[in-house]
PDB file of all heavy atoms in Angstrom:
ATOM      1  N   ALA A 208       6.154  57.028 -52.491  1.00 91.00           N
ATOM      2  CA  ALA A 208       7.108  55.932 -52.689  1.00 91.00           C
ATOM      3  C   ALA A 208       8.433  56.237 -52.003  1.00 91.00           C
ATOM      4  O   ALA A 208       9.023  55.364 -51.357  1.00 91.00           O
ATOM      5  CB  ALA A 208       7.312  55.696 -54.184  1.00 91.00           C
ATOM      6  N   LEU A 209       8.909  57.468 -52.142  1.00 92.00           N
ATOM      7  CA  LEU A 209      10.151  57.859 -51.477  1.00 92.00           C
ATOM      8  C   LEU A 209      10.013  57.822 -49.960  1.00 92.00           C
ATOM      9  O   LEU A 209      10.984  57.539 -49.245  1.00 92.00           O
ATOM     10  CB  LEU A 209      10.566  59.262 -51.929  1.00 92.00           C
ATOM     11  CG  LEU A 209      11.040  59.391 -53.388  1.00 92.00           C
ATOM     12  CD1 LEU A 209      11.210  60.852 -53.764  1.00 92.00           C
ATOM     13  CD2 LEU A 209      12.347  58.635 -53.587  1.00 92.00           C
ATOM     14  N   ALA A 210       8.820  58.095 -49.464  1.00 93.00           N
ATOM     15  CA  ALA A 210       8.580  58.055 -48.013  1.00 93.00           C
ATOM     16  C   ALA A 210       8.824  56.660 -47.460  1.00 93.00           C
ATOM     17  O   ALA A 210       9.278  56.510 -46.310  1.00 93.00           O
ATOM     18  CB  ALA A 210       7.158  58.504 -47.703  1.00 93.00           C
ATOM     19  N   ASN A 211       8.541  55.632 -48.248  1.00 92.00           N
ATOM     20  CA  ASN A 211       8.816  54.258 -47.805  1.00 92.00           C
ATOM     21  C   ASN A 211      10.311  54.062 -47.551  1.00 92.00           C
ATOM     22  O   ASN A 211      10.705  53.405 -46.587  1.00 92.00           O
ATOM     23  CB  ASN A 211       8.335  53.252 -48.858  1.00 92.00           C
ATOM     24  CG  ASN A 211       6.831  53.169 -48.929  1.00 92.00           C
ATOM     25  OD1 ASN A 211       6.145  53.317 -47.928  1.00 92.00           O
ATOM     26  ND2 ASN A 211       6.297  52.936 -50.122  1.00 92.00           N
ATOM     27  N   ALA A 212      11.135  54.639 -48.427  1.00 93.00           N
ATOM     28  CA  ALA A 212      12.587  54.516 -48.255  1.00 93.00           C
ATOM     29  C   ALA A 212      13.048  55.248 -47.004  1.00 93.00           C
ATOM     30  O   ALA A 212      13.867  54.733 -46.230  1.00 93.00           O
ATOM     31  CB  ALA A 212      13.299  55.066 -49.489  1.00 93.00           C
ATOM     32  N   VAL A 213      12.519  56.445 -46.780  1.00 94.00           N
ATOM     33  CA  VAL A 213      12.894  57.214 -45.591  1.00 94.00           C
ATOM     34  C   VAL A 213      12.518  56.455 -44.323  1.00 94.00           C
ATOM     35  O   VAL A 213      13.304  56.364 -43.366  1.00 94.00           O
ATOM     36  CB  VAL A 213      12.222  58.605 -45.614  1.00 94.00           C
ATOM     37  CG1 VAL A 213      12.505  59.352 -44.318  1.00 94.00           C
ATOM     38  CG2 VAL A 213      12.718  59.413 -46.813  1.00 94.00           C
ATOM     39  N   SER A 214      11.321  55.893 -44.315  1.00 93.00           N
ATOM     40  CA  SER A 214      10.855  55.166 -43.130  1.00 93.00           C
ATOM     41  C   SER A 214      11.675  53.910 -42.883  1.00 93.00           C
ATOM     42  O   SER A 214      12.008  53.587 -41.737  1.00 93.00           O
ATOM     43  CB  SER A 214       9.368  54.816 -43.289  1.00 93.00           C
ATOM     44  OG  SER A 214       8.595  55.994 -43.387  1.00 93.00           O
ATOM     45  N   ASN A 215      12.013  53.185 -43.953  1.00 94.00           N
ATOM     46  CA  ASN A 215      12.871  52.004 -43.794  1.00 94.00           C
ATOM     47  C   ASN A 215      14.247  52.395 -43.251  1.00 94.00           C
ATOM     48  O   ASN A 215      14.835  51.675 -42.436  1.00 94.00           O
ATOM     49  CB  ASN A 215      13.035  51.283 -45.136  1.00 94.00           C
ATOM     50  CG  ASN A 215      11.840  50.419 -45.484  1.00 94.00           C
ATOM     51  OD1 ASN A 215      10.991  50.150 -44.645  1.00 94.00           O
ATOM     52  ND2 ASN A 215      11.761  49.991 -46.738  1.00 94.00           N
ATOM     53  N   LEU A 216      14.753  53.548 -43.704  1.00 95.00           N
ATOM     54  CA  LEU A 216      16.048  54.024 -43.221  1.00 95.00           C
ATOM     55  C   LEU A 216      15.982  54.355 -41.728  1.00 95.00           C
ATOM     56  O   LEU A 216      16.899  54.019 -40.968  1.00 95.00           O
ATOM     57  CB  LEU A 216      16.488  55.247 -44.019  1.00 95.00           C
ATOM     58  CG  LEU A 216      17.819  55.886 -43.596  1.00 95.00           C
ATOM     59  CD1 LEU A 216      18.966  54.890 -43.736  1.00 95.00           C
ATOM     60  CD2 LEU A 216      18.093  57.141 -44.419  1.00 95.00           C
ATOM     61  N   VAL A 217      14.894  54.992 -41.307  1.00 94.00           N
ATOM     62  CA  VAL A 217      14.725  55.328 -39.885  1.00 94.00           C
ATOM     63  C   VAL A 217      14.668  54.060 -39.041  1.00 94.00           C
ATOM     64  O   VAL A 217      15.338  53.944 -38.004  1.00 94.00           O
ATOM     65  CB  VAL A 217      13.450  56.171 -39.692  1.00 94.00           C
ATOM     66  CG1 VAL A 217      13.104  56.310 -38.205  1.00 94.00           C
ATOM     67  CG2 VAL A 217      13.613  57.550 -40.314  1.00 94.00           C
ATOM     68  N   ASN A 218      13.869  53.087 -39.493  1.00 94.00           N
ATOM     69  CA  ASN A 218      13.725  51.828 -38.757  1.00 94.00           C
ATOM     70  C   ASN A 218      15.050  51.072 -38.691  1.00 94.00           C
ATOM     71  O   ASN A 218      15.461  50.579 -37.635  1.00 94.00           O
ATOM     72  CB  ASN A 218      12.654  50.971 -39.433  1.00 94.00           C
ATOM     73  CG  ASN A 218      12.051  49.944 -38.498  1.00 94.00           C
ATOM     74  OD1 ASN A 218      12.546  49.709 -37.399  1.00 94.00           O
ATOM     75  ND2 ASN A 218      10.976  49.318 -38.940  1.00 94.00           N
ATOM     76  N   LEU A 219      15.732  51.000 -39.826  1.00 95.00           N
ATOM     77  CA  LEU A 219      17.023  50.304 -39.893  1.00 95.00           C
ATOM     78  C   LEU A 219      18.049  50.981 -38.987  1.00 95.00           C
ATOM     79  O   LEU A 219      18.795  50.299 -38.263  1.00 95.00           O
ATOM     80  CB  LEU A 219      17.520  50.287 -41.339  1.00 95.00           C
ATOM     81  CG  LEU A 219      18.916  49.716 -41.592  1.00 95.00           C
ATOM     82  CD1 LEU A 219      18.998  48.260 -41.167  1.00 95.00           C
ATOM     83  CD2 LEU A 219      19.291  49.861 -43.071  1.00 95.00           C
ATOM     84  N   SER A 220      18.105  52.300 -39.012  1.00 95.00           N
ATOM     85  CA  SER A 220      19.071  53.031 -38.191  1.00 95.00           C
ATOM     86  C   SER A 220      18.817  52.806 -36.707  1.00 95.00           C
ATOM     87  O   SER A 220      19.766  52.631 -35.922  1.00 95.00           O
ATOM     88  CB  SER A 220      19.003  54.532 -38.515  1.00 95.00           C
ATOM     89  OG  SER A 220      19.299  54.771 -39.872  1.00 95.00           O
ATOM     90  N   ALA A 221      17.541  52.802 -36.329  1.00 95.00           N
ATOM     91  CA  ALA A 221      17.199  52.594 -34.918  1.00 95.00           C
ATOM     92  C   ALA A 221      17.651  51.213 -34.443  1.00 95.00           C
ATOM     93  O   ALA A 221      18.243  51.071 -33.365  1.00 95.00           O
ATOM     94  CB  ALA A 221      15.699  52.768 -34.716  1.00 95.00           C
ATOM     95  N   LEU A 222      17.390  50.182 -35.252  1.00 95.00           N
ATOM     96  CA  LEU A 222      17.778  48.824 -34.853  1.00 95.00           C
ATOM     97  C   LEU A 222      19.296  48.651 -34.888  1.00 95.00           C
ATOM     98  O   LEU A 222      19.863  47.950 -34.036  1.00 95.00           O
ATOM     99  CB  LEU A 222      17.106  47.803 -35.778  1.00 95.00           C
ATOM    100  CG  LEU A 222      15.578  47.699 -35.660  1.00 95.00           C
ATOM    101  CD1 LEU A 222      15.043  46.622 -36.599  1.00 95.00           C
ATOM    102  CD2 LEU A 222      15.151  47.397 -34.227  1.00 95.00           C
ATOM    103  N   ALA A 223      19.967  49.275 -35.851  1.00 95.00           N
ATOM    104  CA  ALA A 223      21.432  49.176 -35.924  1.00 95.00           C
ATOM    105  C   ALA A 223      22.068  49.812 -34.689  1.00 95.00           C
ATOM    106  O   ALA A 223      23.036  49.273 -34.124  1.00 95.00           O
ATOM    107  CB  ALA A 223      21.935  49.851 -37.199  1.00 95.00           C
ATOM    108  N   LEU A 224      21.539  50.949 -34.261  1.00 95.00           N
ATOM    109  CA  LEU A 224      22.048  51.597 -33.053  1.00 95.00           C
ATOM    110  C   LEU A 224      21.804  50.735 -31.819  1.00 95.00           C
ATOM    111  O   LEU A 224      22.663  50.620 -30.939  1.00 95.00           O
ATOM    112  CB  LEU A 224      21.390  52.967 -32.869  1.00 95.00           C
ATOM    113  CG  LEU A 224      21.954  54.099 -33.733  1.00 95.00           C
ATOM    114  CD1 LEU A 224      21.097  55.347 -33.582  1.00 95.00           C
ATOM    115  CD2 LEU A 224      23.401  54.388 -33.370  1.00 95.00           C
TER     116      LEU A 224
END
Side-chain angles (χ1 to χ4, degrees):
L209 291 171
N211 289 327
V213 175
S214 298
N215 281 347
L216 178 60
V217 169
N218 202 349
L219 174 61
S220 300
L222 293 182
L224 281 173

